[in-house]
């Protein structure tokens, strides 16, 4: 292998590996913030209480009434099946849910509704499990390959 190709592969492979570690997920809030919402709050106060802006617009009608969709995540728990009780186990982040906030023409909330969702889009973050797998499997294989190439010359 030529020196230029070797340098290119040493640079290109890690870049491709890191790109494959990026996963998509929406910006979201938590159940605790959702539970603090009350009817009569303005759109700005709902946004500040949740710590995020609306994810999408659900409905806009001709009278000025509209509803916005926010994303939040539930809290689940992990436990051993034969030790299953009401409150034991370790907390973990659960599934994504939609919070639909309904506002009147003066931007005052009059209803909140929660519903299940399957979407996972906007925010990108690294998946640690994928990075660990790549470091423990691909990097040693690459080093062995480069070592074989060096010894055959």
């Amino acid at each position: 292998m030529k020196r230029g190709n070797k340098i290119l592969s040493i640079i290109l492979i890690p870049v491709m590996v890191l790109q494959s570690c990026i996963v998509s997920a929406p910006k979201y809030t938590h159940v605790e913030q959702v539970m603090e919402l009350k009817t009569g709050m303005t759109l700005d106060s709902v946004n500040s209480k949740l710590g995020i802006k609306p994810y999408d617009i659900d409905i806009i009608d001709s009278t000025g009434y509209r509803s916005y969709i926010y994303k939040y995540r539930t809290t689940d728990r992990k436990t051993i099946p034969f030790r299953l009780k009401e409150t034991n186990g370790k907390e973990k982040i659960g599934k994504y849910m939609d919070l639909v906030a309904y506002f009147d023409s003066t931007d005052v909330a009059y209803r909140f509704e929660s519903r299940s969702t399957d979407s996972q889009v906007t925010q990108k973050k690294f998946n640690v499990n994928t990075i660990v797998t790549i470091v423990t499997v691909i990097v040693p294989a690459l080093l062995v390959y480069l070592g074989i190439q060096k010894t055959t010359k």
Side-chain angles (χ1 to χ4, degrees):
M1 182 184 271
K2 293 181 182 178
R3 179 176 166 79
N5 289 343
K6 188 182 282 190
I7 290 172
L8 182 63
S9 66
I10 289 173
I11 292 171
L12 194 58
I13 290 173
V15 169
M16 291 184 342
V17 165
L18 286 177
Q19 179 63 26
S20 68
C21 296
I22 295 175
V23 296
S24 296
K27 290 184 178 182
Y28 63 90
T29 188
H30 299 279
V31 174
E32 293 80 18
Q33 284 87 356
V34 172
M35 298 299 286
E36 293 176 8
L37 297 177
K38 306 234 183 303
T39 56
M41 295 175 80
T42 64
L43 176 62
D44 291 333
S45 61
V46 168
N47 290 346
S48 67
K49 184 69 75 174
L50 294 176
I52 57 173
K53 292 190 180 210
Y55 180 75
D56 200 359
I57 299 171
D58 191 38
I59 297 172
I60 297 178
D61 69 10
S62 60
T63 62
Y65 282 72
R66 60 194 172 283
S67 60
Y68 296 105
I69 298 174
Y70 296 88
K71 299 287 184 184
Y72 72 96
R73 289 193 79 173
T74 59
T75 304
D76 288 339
R77 64 187 172 115
K78 291 169 113 177
T79 187
I80 300 170
F82 59 84
R83 292 187 47 121
L84 189 62
K85 294 185 180 155
E86 292 84 11
T87 58
N88 71 339
K90 182 178 178 182
E91 283 189 2
K92 72 176 195 98
I93 295 177
K95 64 181 178 173
Y96 288 95
M97 298 289 288
D98 282 346
L99 171 70
V100 182
Y102 296 89
F103 294 89
D104 63 16
S105 58
T106 61
D107 279 344
V108 175
Y110 66 90
R111 180 175 160 201
F112 297 101
E113 183 180 294
S114 182
R115 58 186 178 202
S116 186
T117 183
D118 293 329
S119 66
Q120 297 182 11
V121 194
T122 53
Q123 182 181 348
K124 294 194 174 203
K125 60 183 177 180
F126 284 107
N127 185 342
V128 177
N129 294 332
T130 306
I131 293 172
V132 170
T133 302
I134 288 168
V135 169
T136 59
V137 174
I138 294 177
V139 171
L142 180 63
L143 292 174
V144 167
Y145 172 75
L146 292 175
I148 291 172
Q149 290 294 321
K150 187 176 182 182
T151 58
T152 58
K153 288 185 176 185

